[in-house]
Amino acid sequence: MKRVLRVLLRITAALAVLLGAILLLALDGVDNSPYLRAPYYAETTTQLRARIATNRLAQGELSAGFGRVRLTPSVNAPRDDPAQGKFRSLPLAGFGSRQGKPATGVHDDLFIKAVALRVGERVGVMVGADALIIPPDVSEAAARQLAQELKLSREQLYLSATHTHASLGGWGEGWVAEAFAGGFQSGARVWFADRIAAAVRESIGDLKPAAFGHGRFAAAGFVRNRLVGDLGRVDPEFTYAVLKQQDGRLAVLGSYAAHATVLSADMMDFSADYPGCWQQAIEQATGGVAVFLAGAVGSHSPVPGGKGFAGAQRMGQALAAALLEQLPRTPLTNRIAFGSLGLDLALPPLNVRVSDGLRLRPWIARRLLRTRDYSLLQVFRVGDLLWISTPCDFSGELAMGIKDGLRARGADAAITSFNGDYVGYVIPARYYHLSGYEPRVMSFFGPNVPDYFEEVMRTMALSLWDH
């Protein structure tokens, strides 16, 4: 009996040593070292200086063109035909609690809208998709098509999504993507990318002399800080831009910081949520094209004043009514400054945490998340409005600080999320040690990312403004 006990103790000790070795190999402390001395920072700043030195603004008369294509896939088809958007089944993207369940039908159609801009020889296109995000494989496939067909570079494409949690899924591979968008189906990528390319082609083909104007208004009653409540701030601004072609046709771009989560996970039909209701109301009132680009939605939830579709409609229509009141008073000009700047930002090592101070070693985390070493930051200057795109759920609190700083220099700015890549949430560093979904689960790259992103975004924006 004693011999058996000794053997069991030895086995237990060996297992404990083995477990310790596994943990030692798998876990590491969170990287809190200053980003200013990190190799990725040096690489990014070197590239940024070079890009700024060669970048030029165009000044002159504006032409604008508009595109609008249907993104809604057909489900319950006898066989998959991605080129036609037909699928036997396709999951909804948005809520992990749906566990990849397929969409059951269509409540309201999903669209991709595009507004092309041309001043002199400089061309750029702003794209808004009724989608959770625009994932990197989709944006890259669309960019390849457009480079081949229209000679457009990736920097000329300003992408964003409405962030509706009831759009098509199936486009992502890896633990995180499939948790929120359902099991991978390659055909979903094909359809999604094709629709982006089609909207851009349509907008380029529609280019006509046009005038531009922009404005903003406070809409504090429809947004709240879901992370820390009254201890934090919210970005209450609804920013808009209007393009009016010579024949009177309009496009209106709008951006707001509230998450498109009025509709709950129980809803299994395709829908664009409150941004779709906003777009419908603007288009019905103007006869033009309305494009919604999700603002800095990190930590920002909607306050719709109702549940389900009634709440989405109430919120979308109220925001539309406020904008339509502003529209006749918005001055327009056909001569503007136009420019763009894109940067492949070098990312820090992953800091996917298992506790406040412990992370998975980056090589393990990369296998789970399938992230890349670089991600795109981008700025469009359209007149005296700066559009700044981010590859994440960017914090509305951080956005307020950036916009206030630019406003002090005489520039207005809109900061949007989901620009064709996704690196998780970027929220103020003071919240990093809180538990919960945004700070603990979705802050993939560590505590220095907010300051790092903010510095680079400000520098990029000012380079176009002070040019």
Side-chain angles (χ1 to χ4, degrees):
M1 187 64 178
K2 289 181 179 180
R3 181 178 295 175
V4 172
L5 287 172
R6 283 197 296 270
V7 170
L8 290 174
L9 286 171
R10 288 172 182 165
I11 292 173
T12 302
L15 289 173
V17 170
L18 180 61
L19 178 60
I22 291 171
L23 291 175
L24 187 65
L25 289 171
L27 301 179
D28 193 11
V30 169
D31 182 6
N32 291 293
S33 57
Y35 74 93
L36 295 169
R37 297 178 177 175
Y40 62 84
Y41 177 76
E43 181 180 355
T44 291
T45 52
T46 299
Q47 289 187 34
L48 181 55
R49 283 193 295 269
R51 293 287 294 111
I52 290 172
T54 59
N55 199 34
R56 296 290 181 269
L57 280 177
Q59 302 265 2
E61 294 187 354
L62 170 69
S63 293
F66 316 142
R68 181 179 186 268
V69 301
R70 186 172 172 268
L71 176 63
T72 318
S74 298
V75 293
N76 302 316
R79 61 183 180 84
D80 287 350
D81 186 357
Q84 300 300 316
K86 296 179 180 180
F87 299 88
R88 287 170 292 181
S89 70
L90 202 63
L92 284 177
F95 295 104
S97 60
R98 289 196 183 113
Q99 298 181 333
K101 293 176 183 175
T104 55
V106 179
H107 179 270
D108 52 281
D109 271 322
L110 310 170
F111 291 92
I112 295 179
K113 321 275 186 68
V115 173
L117 307 164
R118 183 176 66 202
V119 175
E121 299 299 315
R122 179 65 66 90
V123 176
V125 187
M126 300 185 70
V127 178
D130 289 328
L132 180 68
I133 64 172
I134 301 181
D137 293 288
V138 169
S139 62
E140 288 172 1
R144 284 193 297 270
Q145 286 188 50
L146 293 167
Q148 183 175 8
E149 297 171 14
L150 301 176
K151 310 304 180 187
L152 292 174
S153 68
R154 178 64 180 88
E155 184 179 315
Q156 293 174 273
L157 303 173
Y158 187 109
L159 305 178
S160 184
T162 61
H163 203 42
T164 172
H165 284 47
S167 186
L168 77 164
W171 34 254
E173 293 180 272
W175 175 74
V176 171
E178 295 189 46
F180 292 100
F184 175 59
Q185 296 180 222
S186 60
R189 285 182 183 170
V190 172
W191 171 246
F192 200 166
D194 177 76
R195 296 291 81 198
I196 293 173
V200 172
R201 279 196 300 269
E202 186 175 310
S203 70
I204 293 288
D206 186 53
L207 280 164
K208 299 180 179 72
F212 165 80
H214 69 92
R216 52 186 159 87
F217 57 88
F222 293 101
V223 64
R224 68 179 179 87
N225 189 314
R226 71 182 187 185
L227 182 61
V228 295
D230 292 339
L231 296 175
R233 303 165 68 201
V234 296
D235 182 355
E237 291 181 349
F238 193 108
T239 302
Y240 68 92
V242 57
L243 289 303
K244 186 176 183 179
Q245 292 178 326
Q246 234 174 20
D247 61 5
R249 187 171 178 234
L250 291 179
V252 180
L253 299 116
S255 184
Y256 189 56
H259 257 72
T261 50
V262 177
L263 304 178
S264 72
D266 295 332
M267 209 286 299
M268 294 303 299
D269 289 341
F270 291 117
S271 173
D273 206 293
Y274 85 82
C277 298
W278 177 84
Q279 291 173 99
Q280 290 172 21
I282 295 294
E283 290 177 351
Q284 288 170 4
T286 65
V289 175
V291 189
F292 188 95
L293 301 93
V297 298
S299 307
H300 282 37
S301 280
V303 182
K307 295 182 179 180
F309 295 116
Q313 191 171 44
R314 178 184 182 276
M315 182 170 171
Q317 290 182 351
L319 291 170
L323 189 149
L324 290 168
E325 186 178 342
Q326 300 280 329
L327 211 52
R329 300 195 294 270
T330 304
L332 302 178
T333 178
N334 68 341
R335 293 189 64 83
I336 66 168
F338 178 56
S340 62
L341 179 62
L343 180 72
D344 287 325
L345 182 92
L347 294 170
L350 283 162
N351 274 267
V352 176
R353 289 179 293 168
V354 297
S355 69
D356 186 41
L358 282 178
R359 63 171 177 169
L360 292 174
R361 290 191 182 273
W363 65 270
I364 296 176
R366 184 184 291 271
R367 290 177 177 270
L368 294 174
L369 298 181
R370 300 195 178 208
T371 56
R372 304 168 186 217
D373 294 327
Y374 300 88
S375 195
L376 181 71
L377 286 177
Q378 189 176 23
V379 182
F380 266 29
R381 178 178 173 180
V382 187
D384 56 358
L385 178 60
L386 296 164
W387 291 91
I388 306 172
S389 81
T390 65
C392 55
D393 287 81
F394 193 77
S395 164
E397 292 195 61
L398 292 174
M400 290 173 68
I402 296 171
K403 291 193 292 184
D404 287 347
L406 291 171
R407 205 162 286 156
R409 302 284 287 268
D412 272 332
I415 298 176
T416 60
S417 300
F418 318 117
N419 71 359
D421 196 3
Y422 190 69
V423 299
Y425 274 72
V426 176
I427 60 176
R430 62 182 175 274
Y431 300 146
Y432 186 71
H433 297 288
L434 296 176
S435 60
Y437 174 73
E438 292 187 19
R440 179 64 57 82
V441 178
M442 297 298 291
S443 293
F444 299 153
F445 285 93
N448 290 316
V449 165
D451 291 341
Y452 176 41
F453 269 49
E454 186 173 355
E455 178 187 338
V456 176
M457 289 162 65
R458 286 178 188 271
T459 303
M460 292 175 68
L462 286 172
S463 76
L464 286 177
W465 184 249
D466 294 336
H467 209 286

